[in-house]
Amino acid sequence: MKKIVIIGGVAAGASCAARLRRLDETAQIILLERGEYISYANCGLPYHVGDVIKSRDALLVTKSEMMRHRFHIDVRTKNEVTSINRDQKTVTVTNLKDHTAYEESYDTLVIATGSSPLRPKIPGIESDKIMTLWTVPDADKIRDMIHNQGAKSAVVVGGGFIGLEMAENLHHAGLKVSIAEAMDQVMAPLDPEMAVLLHNTIRENGIDLNLSDGVASFEEKNDQVQVKLNSGKVLTADLVLLSIGVRPNSQLAKDAGLSLSEQGGIIVDEHMRTSDSSIYAAGDVTVIKDVVSGKPIMIPLAGPANKQGRIVADNIAGLDAVYEGTQGSSVAQVFDLTAASTGSNEKTLIRRGMVRGKDYESILITQNSHAGYYPGAMPLFLKLLFTPDGKKIFGAQIVGTDGVDKRIDTIGVTLRLGGGIKELKNLELAYAPPYSLAKDPVNMAGFVGENLVNGLVRFADYKEPDTDKEAVLLDVREEAELLGYEIPGAVNIPLGQLRNRLNELDSQKHYIVFCAIGVRAYNAARILAQNGFEQVKIYPAGVRFYRQLHPESETFSGKKPADELNAKQNNGVSAQTPDAKSVMSNTRINSQKLNIDCSGLQCPGPIMEVFNTMKTMKEGDELEVTASDPGFAKDIISWCRRTGNTLVSNEKQGTSYVAVIRKGTQAGKEIPNPASNCFSAPSDLNGTLVQDTPQGKTIIVFDGDMDKVLASFVIANGALAMGRPVTMFFTFWGLTALRKSEKVPVKKSFVEKMFGMMLPRGAKKLKLSKMNMAGMGTAMMKKIMNDKNIDSLEALMKKAMDNGVKIIACSMSMDVMGIRKEELIDGVEVGGVGTYLGDAEESNVNLFI
């Protein structure tokens, strides 16, 4: 009869014991565990702290009594192995209940001692208020601090899996929570740009996130702990949770002379056998093979540990089982988001000396979790790394709200089986509108990867718009989408207009193309590539992703409407003063409330529906919008600010985002909106007043060339369409565009008359600044514009003036050039620099043309 002694009774140890009994009914199996419990769900401990898992017993997967009676295993808790005597094939054990020691012999020994949380030698770390979470008693102690000792605040040191899960659950328990992370990101398995998605949601949920700022010291003061960071910042809390990594519990193996890696893990072969043929090891304490690189690695995850314990049992029972390695698949919940990864991330590939474009390729896409027309579709961001020929997958990361786990598992299986881009593309996955799309995000990753491999598309690096100052940012979204979010400095040509407006772009320049999620950008890139544009890249995952990396000052907080909240202060005056209330009340007399349901509409659907509906509404009417797209919650804030409408409320209701928008006047400074003919003060997301920022546009037209004047009016009309007041100040040569085409009899000096004869008389007489060719170029330009139904300069000028663009002729320049007011077209104001500067102060864009 074989005698097997197993040291450690949690994941790997308990799994090994149960499997071994199923394979060998006659074996004597002894399970030694220094703690009080075996086979408990340590991954569930954070959720017990936060009361999500209310029952403590639910965490005890297999109790000692069950293991004894069901599997006939000699389970000894509170029994710590203090040494391994390989020559005698015995272990020395201390019974922690009565502190007696004894020897236990073995035929085969299994080391499953796991790992322990790191407690580095930081000054002050010995405080009882500084804890770790690794065992059931750890969870009991933290819960006691919260429920019995009245802890109200916590600092979590470390932004890994347990750190983030604890931050969230401490927040759920009602504590004020701060995170201190020495790295520049949380969740190390993710690449930096993917981690930013988590940073945003962590901060939006009220957590104080401190990155690139490790702990310098701890100090107990006034019954609290002061956590001093390397930056000098001090965080004060009732309790501190350390979550800065783990170390393998390999001291027993080291003392016994077993082979260890530099990191301290026990080296095992593919059968999980150590350097001693009678001793196996499994779980966090071991060094195993990385499936992607083939190199040794330590990954403390429950899944691999359980599998390794099973494989050890198989080999002890004579079944010749092999552990083929791990790819480190993991998933974690971070508030409303799910973050998952499998295989290697890009940071790891770079550390191995690999170069993007030469040794690996990377794509990043945005897709919905299921069909966009079915309610509840949520975006997910998927990053895929693979060989340049697409035949091997290195790894993947996904961050989203719904359906993340099944997508990462699908890619993980494909990676494990040696598949590549072709296999992802060809996978046949279950589809119904509530669950997926006809082209699942996994398939889409394959399609996009194939396009990259075949040279049909190139992707910009996510930082490229900020680092490449020569690149032209081309936004092919519709103009209405820009009201929700506008990329600074980008050129906007909607996709449907791109073919007819290629002449506005220089084919020799480098372009980075944007749309909402990347699909229209790909279509635009193909149009450009087939029209002689050789330097075209697509921004990965579109504006949705770019915006996550460039967060605006206004953020969605999911709060209730303004009238259900306490009044907020604005510039020292409450928004709920009697005057403010009376004005708001007056604007709502005889008003109506409309409702539109945009659930299931993919971006930019909801904001476009709002845009079109608001055009039909009266001043004071309210519009309640329900959307499933989380991006809408932020878009509507910007849209209201930019269009001069009032955001009354903006909150999350279940899985939907509900906003109420009022069209019309609110208390405070009135801002004219030429596009909608309404007035409103900007508001924060709860409808309370905030200080308005200038939204006007001013343009100085100095040049009198046809193409430059044309450009100025195109910009003016575009700004007007977005609801911006526009002032155009014409000076010197620009004045010629404002002259009447017919001669006007006015009294002038001889020099003034001669000057007037040399100046072009009106817009029809203006010439191109380049390629005029004695008028041939100008004539050709006008013909092309006519053939393509592009408004002439004269038509653009009339449209601008009819819609409210203020046009000012510089009085000083008129005097210098001998131009009289009677010679100017109707509707032009004559004014000085002071008039122009007054409008410029109310503007946030000023152009000189």
Side-chain angles (χ1 to χ4, degrees), residues 697-702 713 726-732 734-736 738 801 804-814 821 824-840:
K697 316 297 175 190
T698 50
I699 303 172
I700 301 173
V701 185
F702 174 86
F713 276 98
V726 180
T727 297
M728 302 180 72
F729 186 74
F730 286 77
T731 183
F732 286 97
L735 288 169
T736 58
L738 303 182
M801 297 176 74
V805 170
K806 183 193 291 187
I807 296 181
I808 302 173
C810 175
S811 56
M812 183 273 292
S813 298
M814 289 174 63
K821 187 178 187 305
L824 302 180
I825 58 178
D826 295 335
V828 175
E829 299 178 23
V830 176
V833 174
T835 304
Y836 154 73
L837 290 176
D839 286 350

Side-chain angles (χ1 to χ4, degrees), residues 65-341:
E65 294 78 8
M66 179 184 290
M67 187 71 83
R68 293 189 186 102
H69 297 303
R70 180 174 295 179
F71 294 99
H72 192 56
I73 291 171
D74 183 0
V75 179
R76 304 176 191 174
T77 57
K78 306 291 286 185
N79 275 247
E80 181 179 11
V81 176
T82 56
S83 66
I84 300 170
N85 315 302
R86 291 168 56 194
D87 293 338
Q88 292 80 31
K89 298 186 75 169
T90 65
V91 294
T92 302
V93 187
T94 297
N95 187 329
L96 300 178
K97 299 172 185 175
D98 58 15
H99 301 287
T100 59
Y102 64 93
E103 298 287 315
E104 190 69 59
S105 64
Y106 64 83
D107 294 316
T108 302
L109 181 68
V110 179
I111 302 175
T113 46
S115 57
S116 297
L118 288 172
R119 287 186 73 98
K121 294 181 179 179
I122 300 173
I125 200 169
E126 64 279 356
S127 168
D128 291 339
K129 297 181 183 297
I130 301 174
M131 293 169 279
T132 58
L133 179 66
W134 205 245
T135 65
V136 174
D138 290 341
D140 293 340
K141 185 177 179 182
I142 296 171
R143 283 176 60 86
D144 180 67
M145 286 281 291
I146 296 170
H147 298 292
N148 299 325
Q149 299 183 41
K152 300 297 182 184
S153 57
V155 172
V156 177
V157 181
F161 288 98
I162 293 178
L164 294 187
E165 289 170 351
M166 278 301 296
E168 177 179 352
N169 280 282
L170 289 169
H171 177 74
H172 285 165
L175 277 69
K176 179 183 178 183
V177 182
S178 297
I179 297 175
E181 169 57 60
M183 295 174 58
D184 60 358
Q185 67 166 88
V186 300
M187 200 72 76
L190 299 183
D191 284 316
E193 70 273 28
M194 300 295 283
V196 168
L197 305 172
L198 303 185
H199 299 166
N200 294 342
T201 200
I202 289 167
R203 289 181 170 124
E204 287 171 4
N205 279 278
I207 304 295
D208 173 31
L209 178 61
N210 301 273
L211 298 173
S212 301
D213 208 358
V215 175
S217 65
F218 300 102
E219 182 182 0
E220 269 201 57
K221 197 170 184 179
N222 299 325
D223 205 31
Q224 289 186 310
V225 179
Q226 290 189 343
V227 184
K228 185 175 182 180
L229 305 183
N230 291 329
S231 66
K233 182 177 180 179
V234 177
L235 306 174
T236 301
D238 298 320
L239 69 89
V240 174
L241 182 92
L242 290 179
S243 179
I244 52 180
V246 297
R247 58 172 177 79
N249 295 326
S250 58
Q251 190 63 43
L252 273 175
K254 181 180 180 180
D255 293 343
L258 298 177
S259 297
L260 270 60
S261 70
E262 291 182 3
Q263 294 78 24
I266 301 174
I267 297 174
V268 295
D269 63 15
E270 60 184 5
H271 299 286
M272 304 304 297
R273 189 181 288 111
T274 70
S275 54
D276 184 324
S277 60
S278 298
I279 303 177
Y280 291 83
D284 295 359
V285 74
T286 63
V287 176
I288 37 85
K289 183 180 73 173
D290 179 4
V291 167
V292 177
S293 68
K295 296 181 179 180
I297 192 172
M298 294 187 69
I299 297 184
L301 293 172
N306 277 279
K307 293 180 182 68
Q308 291 163 22
R310 178 186 175 93
I311 286 171
V312 167
D314 286 354
N315 285 310
I316 293 173
L319 292 181
D320 190 31
V322 170
Y323 186 69
E324 297 179 351
T326 182
Q327 62 209 63
S329 296
S330 62
V331 64
Q333 177 180 299
V334 183
F335 291 98
D336 291 337
L337 291 182
T338 299
S341 67

